[in-house]
Amino acid sequence: MNRLTVLLVDDHDGFLNAAMRHFRNVGWLEIVGRAMNGLEAISRTEELKPAVVLMDLAMPEMGGLQATRLIKAQTTPPYIVIASHFDDAEHREHAARAGADAFISKLNYVQEVMPILARLAGERGHV
Amino acid sequence: MSESRILVIDADRTRGERIGTILDFMDLTPRVVTDADELHLNRHDPQDWLAVVLGEVPDKRTWKAFLDWLKRDPLHPPILALPEHHLDGAADFGLNEANFWPLDYPIKQPQLVEFLRRASIKKMEEIADVGLPKGGPTGSSAAVQKLRRMIDQVASFDTTVLILGESGTGKEVAARAIYERSARRSGPFVAINCGAIPSELLESELFGHEKGSFTGALTSRKGRFELAEGGTLFLDEIGDMSMPMQVKLLRVLQERSFERVGGSETIRCNVRVIAATHRNLEDAIVKGSFREDLFYRLNVFPIEMPSLRDRREDLPELVNALTKQLEKSGRGSVRLSAEALAVLQAYQWPGNVRELSNLIERLAVLHPAGLVRARDLPARYRDGIELPEEVELDLVDAEPVAVPDTLPAEGIDLKDHIARIEINLIKAALDRAEGVVAHAAQLLGLRRTTLVEKLRKYGLGRDGDINLTSEP
């Protein structure tokens, strides 16, 4: 079956591995790649053309906000979810201004990201 | 930058480790050292850390070296100083008070969380600020000249301004230009995007809240109206504001006073409001989603931002300004070939200057310091463009020699035709490179010596119409 393709972006290996362990059990989801900073995220998005990018807000080299702006500058950009350690009006405002489609708290990652992914998978006929 | 990485420097190892454990417990990523010399600074960037917690300094020499390294980056993270530095640490270390935050010990978790949250916001604001053009809109088209006149006209009056126009046309740039030219320029400029903040949070963001007024309100906080006191408040995407919030905003505009959420004290305010939206507010009034009385309150002096497709002649100047800004902020560099520029000039720009700015930054990342040709542009910019050479000759050179793109009935002198194309492109490249031959050669994908030969061949640069510089 055609699955919802996702690129995972985070500078912590541990975080990426934990997220991978969870996503592996979701049948309609396919993690097509990982990136550890914003620069890598831009080139991997161009190369792998995922439907969704789960983007950490803060990473070395290039952070998630800048990467989101630049990924949104590509033709038919993916849906981008920003994950932030801090969840407040200011962080949400900056994410939205960068062009992110959704915002989630890293402290509640799986619980907040799954409904978003499930909705997208439903809309796009992957479920 | 890393939101979760915190550096702890403390010669008091027990205390340092304890702070590290607290940070670990908060799901953050601490790095605890007893002396700055444990860090390999050449492998780090100051922005690798969100904040630096500073305790006892064992060796003044290594600490000074670290401090010097940190201060070389104007956007360095703040120092959260433990009590031994509270009295005179900022002065001792030559740090701006804005980057020196006294942290209590024993650690109070709410204070630490709040400091780190603020450090993260400070970082995002600084980065966003670096990307904003200074000094108002760029360009010399009639539309931009008119816009500048309107900005100058309204700046010195304390009236409310409503900036209208499509997304990405630079409404915040115009708002900042008004503020910079106004008597309030010594006061703060505070911006808020009403469309980007969930409606349930917007009221407390605008007006502040008292401690305990809702779940999560652990301390009382000032809102943006209070933060903008004596200055200017920019309310972007005002058309996205909910009806109940519109009522509250109208009251502040009428009475110049408000209450914090959960507060009973009426706070007077002296704030100039500049509002903006990409929506058609008159349509919204008809549909019942925007209050007519608020519209008339805001619409004292409307400014319409021109779309980029209505001022395509500004594109080369905009590209130039955006490239210089990227270079200045250390975000990379990029050069566009004349043909790429011509292709961009033919594009519709639904996302306006913001789209252009993001494209330029993206090209700088994907082609660092290189020359971007038309074929390197993302596909949507090239759609429907077949002959970039001819487009470029018409648009880029100020006075191009007419070069037909079809074979005329009477035939053509191909050698002469090719020479004309070459001359036009060389002139355009020299114009763009401000006469610097080495840069023009780069734009044309030629070696400098080859370009010099061609200049000699065509007699360019000798008759005074082009000023050449041999060295960059």
Side-chain angles (χ1 to χ4, degrees):
Chain A
M1 188 183 63
N2 183 5
R3 294 188 287 174
L4 184 73
T5 52
V6 175
L7 176 75
L8 265 179
V9 188
D10 200 290
D11 59 323
H12 284 275
D13 250 338
F15 188 85
L16 285 176
N17 292 335
M20 288 290 278
R21 272 198 298 280
H22 179 84
F23 292 138
R24 210 173 283 139
N25 303 322
V26 183
W28 42 265
L29 198 71
E30 182 185 0
I31 304 296
V32 289
R34 308 162 33 143
M36 297 195 69
N37 63 49
L39 280 172
E40 267 181 41
I42 293 171
S43 56
R44 303 232 80 194
T45 305
E46 178 110 346
E47 172 196 338
L48 302 168
K49 304 206 173 357
V52 182
V53 177
L54 300 183
M55 177 87 78
D56 187 16
L57 176 82
M59 294 170 288
E61 295 274 340
M62 184 195 283
L65 296 181
Q66 194 185 354
T68 298
R69 272 195 302 109
L70 303 189
I71 288 172
K72 284 291 184 184
Q74 83 181 43
T75 309
T76 56
Y79 187 96
I80 302 183
V81 182
I82 292 263
S84 162
H85 192 91
F86 300 101
D87 179 1
D88 56 24
E90 287 97 334
H91 283 79
R92 285 175 176 265
E93 186 182 357
H94 279 279
R97 286 176 65 165
D101 301 285
F103 181 99
I104 57 169
S105 163
K106 276 189 95 167
L107 304 180
N108 207 14
Y109 193 82
V110 169
Q111 289 86 334
E112 290 190 24
V113 82
M114 286 316 292
I116 296 172
L117 294 175
R119 179 175 54 76
L120 289 173
E123 283 169 9
R124 297 171 191 206
H126 300 293
V127 185
Chain B
M1 149 179 86
S2 189
E3 170 190 37
S4 63
R5 290 169 196 255
I6 321 288
L7 178 64
V8 180
I9 304 177
D10 197 349
D12 178 345
R13 185 182 294 272
T14 314
R15 182 173 60 172
E17 293 295 345
R18 197 170 292 151
I19 295 171
T21 308
I22 294 171
L23 290 166
D24 260 333
F25 184 70
M26 288 161 64
D27 253 344
L28 295 157
T29 315
R31 167 86 197 270
V32 182
V33 296
T34 51
D35 189 1
D37 71 352
E38 290 172 40
L39 302 162
H40 297 280
L41 295 185
N42 52 349
R43 286 188 216 154
H44 283 285
D45 182 294
Q47 293 186 48
D48 284 352
W49 293 292
L50 173 66
V52 180
V53 177
L54 175 67
E56 198 182 312
V57 174
D59 181 340
K60 287 216 162 53
R61 196 178 40 84
T62 52
W63 165 243
K64 186 175 179 312
F66 173 82
L67 203 56
D68 289 345
W69 172 81
L70 195 73
K71 287 195 286 189
R72 274 202 291 274
D73 182 351
L75 303 186
H76 70 76
I79 301 276
L80 311 191
L82 289 169
E84 55 261 50
H85 304 293
H86 286 189
L87 209 55
D88 40 21
D92 274 1
F93 304 144
L95 281 166
N96 186 320
E97 297 276 351
N99 284 319
F100 186 86
W101 303 354
L103 182 68
D104 294 340
Y105 193 85
I107 296 290
K108 293 176 185 141
Q109 203 172 328
Q111 184 196 38
L112 182 57
V113 172
E114 180 57 16
F115 277 5
L116 297 176
R117 191 185 72 86
R118 269 172 46 198
S120 174
I121 293 169
K122 177 172 174 283
K123 180 71 59 194
M124 290 190 298
E125 280 170 354
E126 284 168 349
I127 290 174
D129 199 46
V130 167
L132 269 180
K134 305 285 179 292
T138 302
S140 25
S141 61
V144 167
Q145 286 181 30
K146 182 178 164 209
L147 174 63
R148 271 199 215 102
R149 272 199 305 277
M150 293 185 85
I151 288 172
D152 288 338
Q153 216 179 329
V154 76
S156 56
F157 297 97
D158 226 16
T159 53
T160 303
V161 180
L162 180 62
I163 306 178
L164 302 160
E166 293 174 19
S167 291
T169 44
K171 295 189 276 289
E172 181 162 350
V173 174
R176 279 180 188 270
I178 293 170
Y179 156 77
E180 282 159 9
R181 286 160 182 72
S182 75
R184 291 176 174 267
R185 63 183 165 272
S186 52
F189 178 89
V190 175
I192 181 165
N193 187 319
C194 304
I197 295 180
S199 54
E200 67 275 14
L201 297 179
L202 188 58
E203 184 178 359
S204 114
E205 274 309 305
L206 283 174
F207 306 121
H209 62 248
E210 296 296 349
K211 186 176 174 181
S213 53
F214 54 87
T215 319
L218 300 174
T219 51
S220 62
R221 240 181 94 203
K222 286 182 179 180
R224 311 264 174 125
F225 266 96
E226 275 180 85
L227 294 172
E229 180 62 19
T232 301
L233 178 63
F234 177 57
L235 298 173
D236 201 359
E237 297 306 353
I238 192 99
D240 294 2
M241 198 180 255
S242 68
M243 290 297 262
M245 274 311 296
Q246 290 178 30
V247 178
K248 295 191 165 107
L249 177 63
L250 180 65
R251 190 194 144 210
V252 189
L253 294 177
Q254 283 170 335
E255 297 173 16
R256 300 277 155 194
S257 62
F258 61 89
E259 288 91 33
R260 288 182 178 173
V261 175
S264 50
E265 186 198 348
T266 299
I267 300 170
R268 299 282 309 160
C269 68
N270 166 23
V271 171
R272 179 190 202 171
V273 168
I274 302 180
T277 180
H278 73 282
R279 296 191 190 280
N280 183 327
L281 292 183
E282 276 148 321
D283 281 357
I285 293 169
V286 174
K287 283 185 202 142
S289 59
F290 203 82
R291 292 181 64 99
E292 194 171 8
D293 45 6
L294 178 59
F295 174 71
Y296 287 112
R297 230 345 124 165
L298 294 171
N299 198 32
V300 182
F301 191 98
I303 292 182
E304 185 80 40
M305 297 295 293
S307 69
L308 181 51
R309 71 189 152 278
D310 287 337
R311 56 180 190 110
R312 290 173 205 264
E313 62 269 43
D314 288 334
L315 200 116
E317 216 176 313
L318 279 165
V319 169
N320 200 17
L322 291 166
T323 310
K324 283 196 174 138
Q325 207 179 311
L326 270 186
E327 286 170 0
K328 212 174 129 200
S329 60
R331 293 193 195 187
S333 177
V334 70
R335 310 225 169 269
L336 263 61
S337 74
E339 57 175 17
L341 200 60
V343 167
L344 295 184
Q345 247 173 331
Y347 178 68
Q348 283 298 308
W349 297 107
N352 293 294
V353 182
R354 188 186 302 138
E355 183 182 357
L356 175 65
S357 167
N358 288 339
L359 173 71
I360 298 292
E361 198 175 334
R362 183 177 160 93
L363 292 171
V365 167
L366 297 176
H367 307 267
L371 177 72
V372 175
R373 289 160 191 281
R375 61 173 176 272
D376 302 323
L377 295 171
R380 72 168 179 273
Y381 297 96
R382 290 180 274 120
D383 276 355
I385 305 271
E386 282 174 19
L387 283 168
E389 272 186 357
E390 275 65 36
V391 176
E392 146 201 4
L393 294 173
D394 286 345
L395 296 174
V396 173
D397 202 330
E399 287 174 22
V401 182
V403 184
D405 59 358
T406 48
L407 185 64
E410 69 278 17
I412 201 171
D413 179 343
L414 185 62
K415 212 170 151 192
D416 181 54
H417 182 85
I418 299 293
R420 281 163 186 264
I421 292 179
E422 204 166 45
I423 289 170
N424 281 351
L425 284 173
I426 291 174
K427 279 186 173 174
L430 285 166
D431 270 355
R432 282 267 311 279
E434 293 170 346
V436 180
V437 178
H439 290 172
Q442 234 180 2
L443 289 172
L444 295 164
L446 295 176
R447 287 155 59 116
R448 198 184 69 88
T449 45
T450 314
L451 180 57
V452 170
E453 257 175 52
K454 287 187 187 291
L455 291 172
R456 207 170 285 139
K457 176 177 154 195
Y458 295 124
L460 289 170
R462 289 198 200 133
D463 52 7
D465 64 339
I466 295 177
N467 294 317
L468 300 180
T469 312
S470 56
E471 292 304 323

